[in-house]
Amino acid sequence: MILLEPELTGQTLYISGGVFDFAWLMLAAPAVGAAVLLLTGSFFDKRGHWISILAVLASFATALAIFVQFLIGGGGSYSVDYLNWITTPAWSVNIGLYIDQLSILFALLITGVGSVIHIYSVGYMAHDVRRRRFFAFLNLFVFAMLLLVLANDYLVLFVGWEGVGLSSYLLIGFWQHKPAAAAAAKKAFVMNRIGDLGLTMTVFTLLAFLGSSSFADVDAKIGTLSPQWITAVGLFLLLAACGKSAQFPLQAWLLDAMEGPTPVSALIHAATMVTAGVYLVVRSHTIFAVSEIATTAVVIVATVTIFIGAWIGCAKDDIKKVLAGSTMSQIGYMLLAAGIGPAGYAFAIFHLITHGFFKANMFLGAGSVMHATGDDVDMRHFGGLARFLPVTFATFAMGYLAIIGIPPLAGYFSKDHIIEAAFEHNLVVGSAALLGAGITAFYMTRLMMMTFFGARRWEPGVHPHESPKSMTIQLIILALFSVAIGVVMNGWIQGWLAPALGTEVHEIQWLPTPIGLITLLVVIVGVAAGVYLFRVRPVPVAQPQTKNPLVIAGRNDLFGDLANETLVVKPTMFAAQVANANDTVFIDGAIDGVAVGALKLSEIGRKLQSGRVRSYALATFVGAVFIGVITIIGQLG
């Protein structure tokens, strides 16, 4: 039985049957796939990846069927509770699914792009002896991510939130024999725990003041909270989003996470997990709508991160870290749109969807380049690869044109809408978003020139070759979406999301607006600068030495690790040392002092004991005589 809540009519109807009765399959399929691969041991070592692929395809098919049912049936949201999880006198939590236009789009992205990446991984991980476990972890991640976006309650969402954190830890550190990979996994896990504190405080606050953490109850009762607590909840949610989506000041983990296998970067660090923060903010739009302080904080954090990511992208020579910096920056655009308010919600999700396709395309393209060059990631060792990797080059180029915003590719529509909305919101914020677009064009052109054009700078023994079809076909699929998804979704997505977000539908301009033309001009300038510096001028094989503080800062991740070390790690270690000293000197000292005192008293008492019965009898007799004499003297006196 499924509860239908059409927000536009206010009616509540009960329906049964149809594809919604099978919504649980979206989660069950990857969960079962992960369990089978993890619990059956080596039995599925050779063929286990097909179980993983079939599981995620089944999940995708279910999501697609529900999406089609939404298209046929119109607006509304579907909620179903499966079981009661926690019950107290003050509140209770049910485990269930909440499916509306927002969550089903995410489910399609997760399972659709996830299916492509699963199939790509067959070729990429073909020679890894632990491939079965890798695919099990991929399935586990898909399950956790789907639970996050389909949950009907903040506490259930939190379970999925922690699940993707665990899966990310397992996948980033999959090659744990590499010290850098193991360290990166731990760093990502710890930094995400800091952000997760924000979501924990959100749940505690909602349960304490509203008596519920379900989305429906929170949306209905949020107005009863005081303005101070609403702002606090908004800031808690922003902290959670910063951790999961690698936004300032919790962005440092994402660059190190590139130590994981490239399909992990494409799935987790481009299309899905790192966008969870954007989903959380947009899903919580009723909270942010009544707190100007919280929304302003979102805009500030997003704007700062746009430049942090772009700055890093300009300075790095590691192809995956350039793309990771780009991911930070592009998610900054999404959060910026979400912080703008109702005018930007749909554009945030629009850019999230398009970015999921073209960034996954480029990460997998980077994996194909690494496959061809002996797992090298240094762009200074590439050059001239377009001729030897024609499919990889062509598909990567589609992602490149999409991200810099060349019409009519996907990023042109989604990012330009955000820039225009930013100008309508605030001139300073709009100018920052515009400048970020120009820098994006520059560093992505730099990547293209250093990788696919110019002189060959390969390491000795490297013989570039195109990847197998199991990889290139997936690149073609993602490239096609990078080209077409913007045209398909432009205008439509606003109307699609309106019932879920309670927003009005505004007319979308298809032809470039004045701001759009200025944006395109800025992008062309960025491209020209990249071509001149990295195509016309020769690219040195070794990284040039420099005293430029901007370049030095970019190469060192804007000293994010140093800041964390100075502001968090060292103070925490000092506090731990003080606590340890306090424990050793005072607490342990007091306990040990009591023990030593008892030991000394026992030693004194032991000297009074000889163990001879005759001595004890004599002492007793003498004592009795003494007492008797004293008594008699007392009576005579």
Side-chain angles (χ1 to χ4, degrees):
M1 188 71 69
I2 299 172
L3 176 63
L4 171 63
E5 298 174 342
E7 285 111 349
L8 299 182
T9 64
Q11 299 175 352
T12 300
L13 303 172
Y14 286 93
I15 63 171
S16 61
V19 294
F20 296 99
D21 280 346
F22 300 96
W24 56 271
L25 277 174
M26 282 189 286
L27 290 93
V32 171
V36 168
L37 294 179
L38 288 174
L39 299 178
T40 53
S42 60
F43 182 78
F44 286 112
D45 275 354
K46 292 184 178 181
R47 296 289 182 266
H49 51 279
W50 296 117
I51 294 176
S52 177
I53 291 171
L54 289 174
V56 73
L57 286 174
S59 187
F60 172 69
T62 307
L64 184 61
I66 293 175
F67 174 73
V68 171
Q69 185 61 40
F70 264 111
L71 289 175
I72 297 173
S77 58
Y78 301 84
S79 181
V80 55
D81 290 333
Y82 291 112
L83 58 92
N84 180 261
W85 180 19
I86 304 173
T87 298
T88 73
W91 48 267
S92 65
V93 175
N94 295 322
I95 295 179
L97 302 182
Y98 184 75
I99 306 174
D100 63 359
Q101 291 81 359
L102 176 61
S103 61
I104 197 61
L105 268 187
F106 265 85
L108 278 175
L109 178 67
I110 294 163
T111 57
V113 175
S115 298
V116 171
I117 293 172
H118 273 65
I119 297 172
Y120 175 96
S121 300
V122 174
Y124 191 86
M125 303 293 289
H127 302 295
D128 196 295
V129 295
R130 300 168 64 241
R131 183 169 64 169
R132 170 183 55 82
R133 184 171 296 186
F134 177 79
F135 277 92
F137 293 161
L138 284 184
N139 266 193
L140 181 63
F141 170 80
V142 170
F143 161 74
M145 191 68 200
L146 286 171
L147 180 62
L148 189 161
V149 301
L150 296 175
N152 63 353
D153 187 289
Y154 279 101
L155 187 54
V156 181
L157 180 151
F158 180 75
V159 176
W161 192 270
E162 293 302 296
V164 296
L166 171 63
S167 303
S168 177
Y169 169 78
L170 295 172
L171 288 165
I172 293 171
F174 183 74
W175 289 326
Q176 69 264 34
H177 60 276
K178 297 167 55 179
K186 289 186 287 186
K187 182 177 181 180
F189 192 81
V190 171
M191 293 197 72
N192 270 270
R193 298 294 73 71
I194 298 172
D196 293 353
L197 178 63
L199 190 52
T200 303
M201 295 303 298
T202 296
V203 174
F204 286 167
T205 304
L206 296 177
L207 291 176
F209 289 101
L210 302 183
S212 175
S213 56
S214 74
F215 295 143
D217 289 341
V218 170
D219 290 347
K221 299 177 182 179
I222 192 64
T224 63
L225 269 180
S226 68
Q228 294 81 5
W229 275 111
I230 293 176
T231 297
V233 171
L235 295 177
F236 291 155
L237 290 168
L238 175 59
L239 176 61
C242 287
K244 200 66 73 182
S245 294
Q247 299 292 284
F248 177 80
L250 299 177
Q251 80 284 354
W253 66 268
L254 185 59
L255 293 166
D256 289 355
M258 297 302 103
E259 290 291 339
T262 301
V264 173
S265 303
L267 178 62
I268 296 181
H269 307 131
T272 55
M273 189 190 84
V274 288
T275 61
V278 181
Y279 171 80
L280 183 66
V281 172
V282 174
R283 173 58 77 193
S284 306
H285 63 275
T286 55
I287 297 174
F288 285 95
V290 288
S291 176
E292 184 176 352
I293 294 176
T295 54
T296 301
V298 172
V299 170
I300 293 172
V301 167
T303 305
V304 170
T305 311
I306 287 173
F307 286 106
I308 287 176
W311 192 342
I312 291 171
C314 290
K316 291 291 185 181
D317 291 333
D318 184 319
I319 186 171
K320 290 179 65 177
K321 290 189 176 182
V322 172
L323 294 176
S326 171
T327 296
M328 293 179 197
S329 185
Q330 297 305 307
I331 294 174
Y333 277 102
M334 301 171 207
L335 269 184
L336 173 61
I340 288 172
Y345 292 149
F347 300 145
I349 302 304
F350 188 12
H351 195 51
L352 187 153
I353 298 295
T354 60
H355 176 267
F357 285 105
F358 61 66
K359 184 55 67 64
N361 170 30
M362 288 189 286
F363 262 118
L364 295 186
S368 183
V369 170
M370 293 166 60
H371 180 83
T373 57
D375 286 332
D376 198 347
V377 294
D378 191 340
M379 295 187 298
R380 295 188 182 277
H381 299 164
F382 298 158
L385 290 177
R387 176 183 173 186
F388 297 87
L389 285 73
V391 177
T392 299
F393 165 68
T395 54
F396 200 106
M398 295 301 101
Y400 158 72
L401 294 174
I403 193 173
I404 68 174
I406 298 299
L409 280 79
Y412 164 74
F413 293 104
S414 59
K415 191 161 69 174
D416 274 28
H417 287 324
I418 294 175
I419 294 173
E420 292 198 22
F423 271 108
E424 293 176 5
H425 177 73
N426 182 288
L427 179 61
V428 174
V429 173
S431 300
L434 177 63
L435 179 59
I439 301 174
T440 300
F442 170 75
Y443 70 73
M444 288 305 303
T445 302
R446 171 180 180 265
L447 184 153
M448 289 293 292
M449 296 300 107
M450 292 180 70
T451 302
F452 295 105
F453 296 97
R456 305 172 186 177
R457 303 181 299 276
W458 311 327
E459 292 284 273
V462 171
H463 304 286
H465 56 281
E466 188 59 273
S467 299
K469 289 185 178 180
S470 62
M471 296 169 63
T472 55
I473 291 175
Q474 314 315 311
L475 293 177
I476 293 170
I477 293 172
L478 291 173
L480 291 175
F481 275 97
S482 300
V483 172
I485 194 68
V487 174
V488 173
M489 297 184 70
N490 189 44
W492 169 86
I493 193 169
Q494 276 194 304
W496 172 261
L497 291 175
L501 302 177
T503 54
E504 297 180 2
V505 180
H506 300 282
E507 183 179 354
I508 294 295
Q509 297 291 332
W510 282 86
L511 296 177
T513 62
I515 293 177
L517 291 173
I518 294 173
T519 301
L520 188 58
L521 177 62
V522 170
V523 166
I524 292 172
V525 171
V527 170
V531 170
Y532 172 73
L533 291 175
F534 298 97
R535 179 69 176 94
V536 176
R537 298 171 61 186
V539 176
V541 176
Q543 188 180 73
Q545 296 295 320
T546 181
K547 294 183 179 179
N548 187 325
L550 298 179
V551 177
I552 293 172
R555 289 177 180 177
N556 290 277
D557 307 341
L558 273 63
F559 305 106
D561 288 337
L562 178 61
N564 292 333
E565 182 83 11
T566 304
L567 300 176
V568 179
V569 176
K570 288 185 177 179
T572 302
M573 292 181 66
F574 176 75
Q577 290 169 352
V578 171
N580 181 63
N582 177 68
D583 181 70
T584 302
V585 175
F586 294 102
I587 299 177
D588 286 354
I591 296 174
D592 292 344
V594 171
V596 171
L599 179 62
K600 294 297 183 182
L601 289 174
S602 67
E603 289 176 351
I604 295 172
R606 185 180 64 188
K607 293 178 180 179
L608 299 176
Q609 307 296 322
S610 65
R612 297 175 180 178
V613 177
R614 287 178 296 177
S615 298
Y616 296 158
L618 177 61
T620 303
F621 175 74
V622 172
V625 171
F626 177 75
I627 293 173
V629 171
I630 294 299
T631 303
I632 293 171
I633 292 174
Q635 290 178 350
L636 291 176

